Amino acid sequence: MLLLGDGSALISGHPRYCPEPILVVIAGSPWEGSMLKRRFVGRGMHLEFYHAEYRTPIVTSSIQEIWQCPQGSRLEIGAPV
C-alpha cells in the first residue's frame, strides 16, 4: 500500500480486487463489531476500503504485520485482501 493522503492509497496484491496497483479510498479498520476506526490500520484488525469497481466496501482478512518504510509515506501490510 502506498498512502497518497486524504484517505486515498494505491494498493495491490490480490488477484481479483487489485492484481496491479489501483487507487482506493481507505475507510479504516472495523473495531468492536460494527464500529469503524476511521483512516486507521491496526495489527490484528481488518482493513476496509472502497474500490471504484465495487458498490460495497471491501474488508480484508486480519492484518498480521505492518512495516513503515523510512522514506515518505509507504506502508507495507502483510495480509491478503
Side-chain angles (χ1 to χ4, degrees):
M1 176 178 353
L2 173 62
L3 299 175
L4 302 174
D6 294 332
S8 62
L10 288 173
I11 64 169
S12 62
H14 189 276
R16 178 177 174 192
Y17 298 114
C18 49
E20 300 294 324
I22 188 159
L23 183 64
V24 299
V25 175
I26 304 298
S29 292
W31 181 52
E32 303 274 331
S34 62
M35 188 181 300
L36 181 71
K37 196 162 187 177
R38 295 191 52 191
R39 295 189 181 175
F40 180 82
V41 178
R43 185 177 295 125
M45 300 174 85
H46 302 269
L47 175 66
E48 185 172 306
F49 63 90
Y50 292 93
H51 186 299
E53 296 179 21
Y54 297 90
R55 299 176 89 190
T56 59
I58 296 170
V59 180
T60 69
S61 58
S62 178
I63 297 167
Q64 302 300 307
E65 295 290 332
I66 300 173
W67 300 278
Q68 185 170 359
C69 297
Q71 297 178 5
S73 58
R74 287 185 82 95
L75 182 67
E76 303 283 336
I77 297 180
V81 174

